[in-house]
Amino acid sequence: MVYILIALFLLFLSYTYEFKKNDNRQPNTIWFPFILFIFVFIAGFRDGLGVDTKNYVEFFKYVPTIDNLSESTLGYTRFRPGFVIYYSICKSIINDITFAFVLESLFVNYVVLLFIKRHTKYPYLTVLLFFLINYLEFNMEIQREAIAVALVLLSWMKYENKKYLLSLILFALSTTFHVSAFFAIILPLLDKITFNKKWIIIAVVLIVLVPTAFFAIPNLSFIVEFLLNSEQSNVVDGYTAQTFNQDLNLNYFLIHFIQYGFMIYALYYLKSKGQNRYAGHIMIYMTFMYMTAVSYGFYRFTNYLTCFYILVLSDFLMCFLRTNKFVKQFPKLVLVVFLTYLTYYHESKLMIYDEVNDEYSYERYFPYKSILLK
């Protein structure tokens, strides 16, 4: 229930401050501090929510305080040095995992909101999209990678301001939290890409080639996983142990085929209205989402492109609602349908039944439980 209330609150803010606002006015972000407080409170004081949470709780029990941290300790765990040091510092200050959760949530959500504030005219709609698409994962699952993503976003903002040395330092720091952060080195190259017909051709080729290769080459998943996941062999084994039947794959490819086509249309529509930003980021994001059926390792990389993705989504939605003659007659209905579709596309996986843990995936987060309510 708490998640629904937050989503409705963000929808109310977007409709109040953005749908009837002149684009030339400065975006109103007066509610951002309150939103940050809510985001941090929900994630920081959670009680056992998220599959990865129990792993972090166990690791926190055994990580030494900063005065006892040694080089051998950093090499013993599969976690990257930056994350180990972070937990060690937190434990030295307050020996309670909740403190580490609150700090991580504060940092990640602050950076995401700052990035949104600086890069869109529709901050509340963009925050709503973030909440629907990645809030749970960033705050209750991939804690190490979420910190790396936040550092990459800070690095990107410094890069935009031509503070290249600081940008490089932040990028290097991000790699000490999760190895996947090395992917972010290509972000400046993606910024040089503009949307054109070549991307449509590439998309069509991938739509045909990826599922064909997956079904034709039985060991393709193992090969890709081995190349993409080098932190620990047990992680690779866990990913390669995933099995996909033909029906599941066909359904997966169909869903992502629809979304791939939708995003191509969104980029085309925005370009026709004089907007053509982050086309490279979006095409790589959708390509990796599509290739996730071959290897879950590709999904890791999409986390570094999510914030660019939601910026383009909010641009398209507002532009579409304001310029399409037919849609302008039913803006509220189209908005609800659009948000429902996106939620289904990104969160339908929560309805999958996990036979190992004997639960549905949504039970990782629902109902909400807080340590303050014990």
Side-chain angles (χ1 to χ4, degrees), residues 1 23 101 109-110 118-119 172 179 186 208 221 232 300 308 321 367:
M1 185 63 180
D23 275 352
F101 285 166
N109 288 293
Y110 172 78
R118 292 185 177 181
H119 291 87
V179 69
I186 74 168
V208 175
S221 291
Q232 286 288 334
R300 286 287 188 185
F308 299 96
L321 289 177

Side-chain angles (χ1 to χ4, degrees), residues 5-37:
L5 290 176
I6 294 173
L8 290 176
F9 174 67
L10 293 173
L11 181 60
F12 169 76
L13 290 178
S14 178
Y15 186 78
T16 302
Y17 289 99
E18 294 167 351
F19 277 79
K20 297 181 180 181
K21 182 182 75 66
N22 188 320
D23 275 352
N24 295 323
R25 291 169 51 190
Q26 184 70 19
N28 188 321
T29 56
I30 190 173
W31 286 95
F32 263 41
F34 180 71
I35 294 172
L36 177 62
F37 170 78

Side-chain angles (χ1 to χ4, degrees), residues 70-87:
S70 63
E71 186 176 346
S72 60
T73 304
L74 294 175
Y76 176 76
T77 175
R78 72 181 179 89
F79 294 153
R80 300 282 289 175
F83 185 76
V84 177
I85 294 172
Y86 165 66
Y87 259 30

Side-chain angles (χ1 to χ4, degrees), residues 204-218:
V204 171
V205 171
L206 285 170
I207 286 170
V208 175
L209 181 62
V210 172
T212 301
F214 178 68
F215 289 117
I217 308 175

Side-chain angles (χ1 to χ4, degrees), residues 53-303:
T53 295
K54 61 183 179 181
N55 297 327
Y56 294 132
V57 171
E58 287 300 312
F59 177 67
F60 190 83
K61 292 178 181 178
Y62 298 104
V63 71
T65 55
I66 195 67
D67 54 317
N68 294 317
L69 193 63
S70 63
E71 186 176 346
S72 60
T73 304
L74 294 175
Y76 176 76
T77 175
R78 72 181 179 89
F79 294 153
R80 300 282 289 175
F83 185 76
V84 177
I85 294 172
Y86 165 66
Y87 259 30
S88 181
I89 292 174
C90 288
K91 190 170 186 176
S92 301
I93 299 173
I94 299 178
N95 190 8
D96 190 332
I97 187 66
T98 300
F99 178 64
F101 285 166
V102 169
L103 282 186
E104 183 266 342
S105 181
L106 177 63
F107 175 66
V108 171
N109 288 293
Y110 172 78
V111 172
V112 169
L113 291 179
L114 178 65
F115 181 83
I116 290 173
K117 181 179 179 180
R118 292 185 177 181
H119 291 87
T120 183
K121 299 176 181 178
Y122 321 112
Y124 296 118
L125 176 60
T126 310
V127 172
L128 173 60
L129 292 172
F130 168 71
F131 183 75
L132 295 176
I133 294 172
N134 265 85
Y135 172 80
L136 292 177
E137 188 163 15
F138 273 29
N139 285 273
M140 299 184 188
E141 295 291 356
I142 55 170
Q143 187 168 346
R144 296 175 296 137
E145 191 172 7
I147 296 174
V149 169
L151 288 168
V152 165
L153 291 179
L154 285 176
S155 174
W156 177 260
M157 287 186 279
K158 297 305 177 184
Y159 172 82
E160 289 179 317
N161 293 330
K162 299 184 178 181
K163 297 180 179 179
Y164 300 121
L165 179 59
L166 183 54
S167 175
L168 183 61
I169 292 173
L170 289 168
F171 165 72
L173 183 59
S174 72
T175 63
T176 68
F177 281 85
H178 203 279
V179 69
S180 62
F182 281 105
F183 163 77
I185 199 169
I186 74 168
L187 292 184
L189 299 178
L190 298 182
D191 203 40
K192 307 295 182 182
I193 298 174
T194 57
F195 181 74
N196 52 49
K197 293 181 180 179
K198 293 180 181 179
W199 277 107
I200 300 178
I201 297 174
I202 293 173
V204 171
V205 171
L206 285 170
I207 286 170
V208 175
L209 181 62
V210 172
T212 301
F214 178 68
F215 289 117
I217 308 175
N219 294 324
L220 182 59
S221 291
F222 177 81
I223 296 171
V224 175
E225 292 294 351
F226 181 78
L227 295 174
L228 292 179
N229 298 282
S230 59
E231 285 187 286
Q232 286 288 334
S233 60
N234 63 327
V235 176
V236 179
D237 292 341
Y239 283 158
T240 54
Q242 296 176 0
T243 58
F244 303 92
N245 59 52
Q246 189 171 6
D247 291 335
L248 179 59
N249 273 291
L250 291 175
N251 179 60
Y252 181 93
F253 285 123
L254 177 61
I255 292 173
H256 285 275
F257 167 77
I258 294 172
Q259 180 64 6
Y260 212 141
F262 173 78
M263 290 308 300
I264 289 176
Y265 173 74
L267 290 174
Y268 175 81
Y269 192 89
L270 287 171
K271 185 176 181 180
S272 70
K273 304 300 180 182
Q275 302 181 49
N276 193 25
R277 64 172 183 165
Y278 304 137
H281 300 72
I282 301 307
M283 295 307 298
I284 296 299
Y285 174 89
M286 290 310 307
T287 299
F288 283 166
M289 287 292 287
Y290 192 70
M291 295 176 69
T292 298
V294 175
S295 165
Y296 183 77
F298 285 110
Y299 183 76
R300 286 287 188 185
F301 299 144
T302 65
N303 291 318

Side-chain angles (χ1 to χ4, degrees), residues 3 42 45-49 363 365 367-371 373:
Y3 305 116
I42 294 297
F45 293 100
R46 69 187 186 273
D47 181 18
L49 300 177
E363 295 181 68
Y365 316 113
Y368 176 75
K369 293 178 288 185
S370 171
I371 61 171
L373 300 177

